[in-house]
Amino acid sequence: MSGPRKNVGILLPPAVAYSPRILEGLMRHPQIHQKCMVIECPHFEPGRSPLLPGASALDAAIVWAEPRDHWVHDLIAQGTRILSCGAEWDGTPGVASVYFDRPEMHRMVIDHLKSLGLRTAVGMGHKLGLRPASRRLLEGFAEMARGEGIDAQVWSLEGEGSPAMAPGRLLQAHAEHQLADFLRTLKLPAAMLCASDQMAVIVCEVAARQGLRVPEDVVVIGESDNPLAATTRPPLTSIAGNAVALGETAAVVLIDWLAGGAPPSQPVIISGARLVARESSTGRSESVAIERVRRLIERDAVRGISLAELVAASGLSTKTMVRHYRAAFGVDPIDEVNRLRLAEAKRLLVSGPSKVAEVAASCGFSSPAAFNNYFRRHAGCSPSAYQQAAAGVSESAL
């Protein structure tokens, strides 16, 4: 490539955490500095061109754009070489695509959900009716998850203002009634894989307003590992593509294309994603193993799960598992099992005319005698005495 320097536009949304990383990777290529004039034109709103009317023609542009961004077609008509960082422009003449290996990212998420014992998941994007490629990718996630025994579906957040590109939507989470209605339909516990960290923050906020706990009821996973992810409450688990490698590859493609070569006939796929596990999926322990134990206790405490079963689920030694669980939750795991089991037994004893034998069976005891001994040891009286005392209090209150 010789002659005057080529004008290369960086038409990326500044609110997307990948954008500065892509630019960092691009600028690592020495010929970009030598032969190109790199011009940043931030892209703030879908549908609106980031270029001013009458702007000089660009020789090439790196874009993060949606199908409704018709200005991309205008650039192509002007002879601008377009490199898309997403799948939405695949197959468009004049466009080369370099984007993340989504199946790799989805496999990491599914393995994470399986390690937590989750069996319900949702892939969530924004305005998927206008973004068919994004919908197909999320449907691929759902299909992959179903193949692993996870009941998965795809759901689209509507409304103007993509959370990733219009962070002001974070300040209006109280108005996300559509999302609140959807969360109420979910079989819990469930996981929400969100198209951005900003979207994941909104899910956390709306879930809390619905009385749902993150991650106990709803595991929330974002994308891009935005600085927001580590500082929000709870800190977000996030899956992040290798955006620097994407920028480096984009530079190689553009330099060759600007020198007269042909653009790649197929998308260039960038691997090397990473999953950063934080509290929105692992809980306060920030340990998958300990969160798995906590979920097992919450689900099976009433039947009287044993320490050996908890240790087996964690994959840790007994001493390590107990120490980490106590550090995260301030209580020994078996003490928590006993607390939950006893609480359920007390609830059943006072909630109706249940016989002690029926309560014993409901709480997983092999016999009324075993239940009687357990209840005396932990409650200080027999189940019958507790039931009678509770009935006496109820009658005296009438």
Side-chain angles (χ1 to χ4, degrees), residues 168-192:
R169 193 164 182 175
L170 296 172
L171 302 176
Q172 298 175 320
H174 63 278
E176 301 286 350
H177 303 303
Q178 176 204 18
L179 176 57
D181 291 342
F182 176 73
L183 291 177
R184 284 193 288 268
T185 71
L186 282 180
K187 179 182 178 182
L188 303 178
M192 298 287 288

Side-chain angles (χ1 to χ4, degrees), residues 67-368:
R68 55 179 162 161
D69 289 320
H70 301 295
W71 49 267
V72 175
H73 292 292
D74 296 336
L75 289 174
I76 295 170
Q78 295 169 14
T80 301
R81 300 162 180 82
I82 302 296
L83 190 147
S84 171
C85 297
E88 297 290 356
W89 294 87
D90 277 358
T92 304
V95 177
S97 294
V98 179
Y99 51 78
F100 301 129
D101 186 340
R102 294 290 171 177
E104 175 193 51
M105 298 168 81
H106 294 160
R107 168 55 57 193
M108 289 182 179
V109 171
I110 290 167
D111 287 346
H112 187 59
L113 300 184
K114 287 175 62 181
S115 74
L116 295 170
L118 285 165
R119 289 295 177 262
T120 303
V122 178
M124 177 179 169
H126 178 246
K127 282 187 172 292
L128 295 177
L130 299 177
R131 304 167 67 222
S134 295
R135 176 174 282 280
R136 286 195 299 273
L137 290 170
L138 285 174
E139 288 172 346
F141 161 74
E143 182 179 358
M144 186 185 294
R146 288 193 290 268
E148 296 293 336
I150 298 173
D151 181 16
Q153 62 176 300
V154 174
W155 189 76
S156 179
L157 179 71
E158 301 302 321
E160 292 306 316
S162 163
M165 295 182 66
R169 193 164 182 175
L170 296 172
L171 302 176
Q172 298 175 320
H174 63 278
E176 301 286 350
H177 303 303
Q178 176 204 18
L179 176 57
D181 291 342
F182 176 73
L183 291 177
R184 284 193 288 268
T185 71
L186 282 180
K187 179 182 178 182
L188 303 178
M192 298 287 288
L193 171 61
C194 304
S196 68
D197 289 334
Q198 291 93 332
M199 185 179 289
V201 170
I202 291 173
V203 172
C204 289
E205 173 69 18
V206 174
R209 290 176 180 273
Q210 297 300 305
L212 301 176
R213 302 165 298 163
V214 177
E216 292 85 351
D217 300 316
V218 183
V219 159
V220 182
I221 300 175
E223 186 189 330
S224 79
D225 197 27
N226 189 307
L228 181 75
T231 58
T232 189
R233 287 290 176 266
L236 285 173
T237 292
S238 188
I239 183 81
N242 189 343
V244 172
L246 192 155
E248 291 173 335
T249 302
V252 172
V253 171
L254 281 181
I255 291 295
D256 182 64
W257 199 0
L258 289 167
S265 59
Q266 298 294 324
V268 181
I269 307 302
I270 305 299
S271 60
R274 59 195 175 90
L275 188 142
V276 183
R278 297 191 181 94
E279 191 174 328
S280 71
S281 71
T282 61
R284 284 177 290 165
S285 67
E286 295 196 4
S287 161
V288 172
I290 298 305
E291 176 63 8
R292 191 160 55 238
V293 171
R294 189 204 62 73
R295 287 181 178 274
L296 188 59
I297 288 174
E298 186 169 88
R299 188 181 71 230
D300 292 342
V302 172
R303 71 171 175 83
I305 191 168
S306 68
L307 179 61
E309 290 174 285
L310 297 178
V311 170
S314 73
L316 305 172
S317 70
T318 301
K319 184 176 180 180
T320 299
M321 187 276 287
V322 171
R323 183 177 74 253
H324 286 200
Y325 193 97
R326 187 189 300 122
F329 303 111
V331 63
D332 281 11
I334 288 301
D335 288 344
E336 182 67 359
V337 169
N338 288 330
R339 184 188 70 79
L340 293 172
R341 199 180 194 194
L342 186 64
E344 177 63 7
K346 289 179 175 179
R347 187 189 71 80
L348 291 173
L349 287 169
V350 303
S351 62
S354 300
K355 296 181 179 179
V356 170
E358 294 172 344
V359 175
S362 296
C363 292
F365 290 91
S366 58
S367 68

